[in-house]
Amino acid sequence: MNANLYALYRSRFPADPHAPFMELDDGSSVAFGDVIARSGRIAALLRALGVGKGDRVAVQVEKSAHTVCLYLACLQIGAIHLPLNTAYTVSEIAYFVGDAEPKAIVCDPASEAALAPIAAQRAGTHLLTLAADGSGSLVAGAREHAPLEEIAQADADDIAAILYTSGTTGRSKGAMLSHGNLASNVQALHEAWGFRPDDVLIHALPLFHTHGLFVALNLMLWNGGRMILMQRFDPERVIGAMSRATILMGVPTFYTRLLQSPRLDRAAAARMRLFVSGSAPLLAETHRAFAQRTGHAILERYGMTETCMNTSNPLDGERRAGTVGPPLPGVEVRVRGKDGEILAPGAIGVLEVRGPNVFKGYWRMPEKTASEFREDGFFITGDLASISDDGYVTIVGRDKDLVITGGYNVYPKEVESALDAMDGVVESAVVGLPHPDLGEAVVAVVSTGGAAPGDAAAYIAALRETLAAYKVPKRVFFVDDLPRNTMGKVQKNMLRERFADAFAPSADA
Ligand code: MLC
Ligand code: AMP
């Protein structure tokens, strides 16, 4: 049997090649037959360029139907898909390319000139371009080829994708996900969320992170059903699409923004059967407000880049606000205390997970990988949680120094390192503060060592040169010295308390 995820999808695609798969922003639609042909042509082009099994294909492009086909083409030839956030700057991309050594880089035509020197550093690396409208050398080159029919043989343990996630040390790690990891998770979710052949998904998430790629897109490929592919999240357009859809998946910011629209009501959501939230904590008050307005209880689930989805509130049964539900079938969870002891229900500790969904390790970082797994195969998530008597998991915080802003992760260390290298900064501490739209917002506190405060706007502008915009602090505060405990460690809790109201509606934000 071929465990290649694309082979599994193909066996589930509708028999009719004219069956629609994607409805696009311009109202046109792409049928399953088109998807097979377009992906096959890209697969043939990549093969002709010498991209083979296990080679990395780095992709930093706008969301479009072509992006979906490029992902499938990588799977088809057994190459490793390596999607990159469109917000990453050239210096961030240089790191990923140096680390992953891709055989091909596909970028937006607008970034070609900036990325060419990076691609040129490694002999045999091809630089191709793809714009949202399909222009660029990738699709043009693919048109010269007949669609590849063959699907590369893959074992369940072969790597299908590498997704970079930042780390507490500030150095990003490539999480290696296998065909088996992705297949087991999509299967578990498909069953747990009761997918039906006529389900229509509103896809408004980016295609370069787990939520949009391995949950939303993979589920619709597995379901062989239809999705409305929106290039970006626009609450009014999403509400407009609800009359011809059944499912929406989003980060909590989607739901708080939807609630701001007076158009969101029971009638608008009448045809929908499921609203899913994840990637960041959904406030219980958002859950309640959404239920009140639409009659739908948002289904919250919990996952990570390294594990795909771990837990989910039930489709049938109680969707408990403020919890992420019990583990998915095949996934085990437990909570450990400070001394390594496994805790009883209700107690708070670090959550660990084990199952076929858990990744194969970090790319070329065997020691880092080993340090994040227990001997019995449980992965240490770094999330603080408790498990109720009846198995519902509640995420109460994080043991890792991480900010989640609008569903994107920012590791403070990366921002602090960039700030600390700047003139006038003695040292810095980056924290996440409550933000009404983004859940948490990145904020920097800079110690001047007693000197006069610097120009916050100038620091922000300088950081934007090297860091993706969502990582750049929304505010910079200046202090003489950072608070420290007796061990000399910066007390970020004190900073969070001191500046807690920075984004409160009444604050001068
Ligand atoms: C955009 N901006 C953000 C931001 N998104 N700032 C902080 N945090 C964010 N998340 C900034 C931009 O840099 C820009 O700043 C300004 O906001 C407007 O940009 P935009 O592109 O127009 O923003 P918008 O379309 O409003 O995007 C907001 C959003 C988006 C919430 C729709 O961030 C989003 O799609 N988030 C989803 C992230 C996601 O997919 N996460 C899943 C990870 S997987 P300026 O200054 O330039 O104007 C995972 C595992 C799991 O976590 O469990 O799922
Ligand atoms: P990422 O590394 O981008 O995959 O983000 C994974 C992290 O997002 C997890 O470790 C959690 O901290 C957080 N996360 C995901 N889903 C939820 C959720 N439903 N509630 C709280 N935190 C979540």
Side-chain angles (χ1 to χ4, degrees):
M1 190 199 131
N2 189 356
N4 187 312
L5 189 59
Y6 185 55
L8 302 179
Y9 290 146
R10 285 287 295 272
S11 71
R12 302 176 55 90
F13 280 4
D16 177 7
H18 302 294
F21 178 46
M22 292 180 263
E23 180 190 311
L24 309 181
D25 285 339
D26 64 4
S28 66
S29 104
V30 184
F32 277 93
D34 290 336
V35 169
I36 294 169
R38 288 192 202 181
S39 308
R41 286 183 199 279
I42 298 173
L45 168 68
L46 292 174
R47 269 256 178 107
L49 293 173
V51 180
K53 203 169 162 183
D55 289 330
R56 278 76 58 207
V57 178
V59 176
Q60 190 194 32
V61 298
E62 293 299 330
K63 182 177 179 181
S64 75
H66 303 282
T67 317
V68 171
C69 295
L70 173 56
Y71 162 57
L72 294 176
C74 291
L75 292 177
Q76 185 174 355
I77 60 172
I80 297 176
H81 182 62
L82 198 163
L84 295 164
N85 194 319
T86 46
Y88 290 149
T89 61
V90 173
S91 59
E92 288 170 314
I93 298 291
Y95 168 78
F96 298 125
V97 167
D99 191 56
E101 300 186 312
K103 194 80 173 253
I105 303 171
V106 186
C107 69
D108 194 89
S111 326
E112 186 179 14
L115 296 189
I118 296 172
Q121 274 172 11
R122 201 170 158 261
T125 297
H126 300 278
L127 183 63
L128 298 152
T129 57
L130 173 64
D133 64 2
S135 59
S137 59
L138 181 83
V139 173
R143 276 197 205 105
E144 306 293 316
H145 293 264
L148 185 74
E149 305 255 327
E150 181 200 338
I151 300 175
Q153 187 69 32
D155 292 332
D157 278 344
D158 287 342
I159 304 306
I162 294 179
L163 264 60
Y164 275 88
T165 116
S166 336
T168 40
T169 57
R171 204 178 145 213
S172 288
K173 308 161 286 183
M176 299 187 289
L177 291 143
S178 68
H179 289 263
N181 290 147
L182 301 178
S184 73
N185 210 231
V186 72
Q187 226 167 323
L189 292 172
H190 194 261
E191 201 181 308
W193 296 345
F195 272 80
R196 307 168 186 165
D198 59 351
D199 268 327
V200 180
L201 172 86
I202 302 175
H203 193 304
L205 286 158
L207 279 173
F208 40 70
H209 284 312
T210 297
H211 199 163
L213 187 58
F214 297 146
V215 183
L217 174 61
N218 277 7
L219 273 163
M220 296 326 283
L221 288 162
W222 191 264
N223 199 43
R226 219 147 57 78
M227 62 180 181
I228 301 170
L229 194 78
M230 296 185 170
Q231 215 184 341
R232 53 184 302 274
F233 173 72
D234 172 344
E236 296 305 322
R237 291 201 51 241
V238 167
I239 293 169
M242 286 181 189
S243 60
R244 45 185 213 287
T246 60
I247 305 177
L248 174 71
M249 292 177 193
V251 295
T253 300
F254 279 25
Y255 293 101
T256 50
R257 289 192 186 177
L258 285 169
L259 278 164
Q260 277 163 19
S261 169
R263 285 176 64 213
L264 183 78
D265 57 17
R266 276 177 195 257
R271 191 173 180 264
M272 297 290 287
R273 75 166 183 89
L274 184 60
F275 291 90
V276 178
S277 177
S279 309
L282 181 77
L283 294 179
E285 77 192 49
T286 309
H287 191 277
R288 274 193 288 274
F290 199 84
Q292 222 164 30
R293 187 91 77 81
T294 64
H296 287 277
I298 298 173
L299 185 152
E300 187 171 7
R301 78 345 171 242
Y302 157 76
M304 284 181 83
T305 301
E306 286 93 336
T307 62
C308 296
M309 298 304 104
N310 296 309
T311 73
S312 170
N313 271 283
L315 181 69
D316 303 312
E318 190 193 354
R319 295 182 197 167
R320 214 172 281 171
T323 82
V324 294
L328 287 163
V331 179
E332 297 166 85
V333 292
R334 70 185 183 196
V335 165
R336 269 194 197 247
K338 282 215 160 25
D339 300 324
E341 74 283 18
I342 294 173
L343 298 179
I348 294 171
V350 176
L351 187 72
E352 300 184 353
V353 301
R354 181 168 72 177
N357 54 317
V358 176
F359 75 138
K360 298 291 153 195
Y362 297 111
W363 170 255
R364 292 182 179 163
M365 288 187 180
E367 280 154 23
K368 183 76 197 154
T369 304
S371 71
E372 298 208 2
F373 278 92
R374 299 278 175 199
E375 270 176 13
D376 58 3
F378 272 84
F379 174 66
I380 306 163
T381 65
D383 288 311
L384 294 173
S386 66
I387 306 175
S388 70
D389 280 330
D390 57 353
Y392 278 62
V393 175
T394 301
I395 308 290
V396 298
R398 294 168 208 137
D399 193 35
K400 49 195 175 189
D401 193 13
L402 165 70
V403 180
I404 305 185
T405 171
Y408 286 142
N409 289 8
V410 179
Y411 275 89
K413 184 79 191 161
E414 190 180 359
V415 186
E416 289 161 359
S417 304
L419 268 170
D420 291 350
M422 292 181 183
D423 285 345
V425 179
V426 172
E427 62 174 342
S428 63
V430 167
V431 292
L433 296 182
H435 188 279
D437 181 42
L438 299 167
E440 290 177 331
V442 176
V443 164
V445 183
V446 166
S447 151
T448 57
D455 176 1
Y459 284 117
I460 288 174
L463 288 172
R464 290 181 79 110
E465 300 276 312
T466 55
L467 294 178
Y470 68 88
K471 299 179 188 172
V472 174
K474 302 282 186 220
R475 303 277 298 265
V476 178
F477 296 106
F478 295 92
V479 294
D480 287 346
D481 295 296
L482 295 174
R484 292 184 180 279
N485 64 14
T486 47
M487 310 288 287
K489 204 169 171 247
V490 174
Q491 289 175 299
K492 289 197 169 180
N493 276 349
M494 287 184 67
L495 295 174
R496 278 189 213 101
E497 275 166 33
R498 176 164 167 198
F499 297 107
D501 294 333
F503 301 100
S506 58
D508 180 25

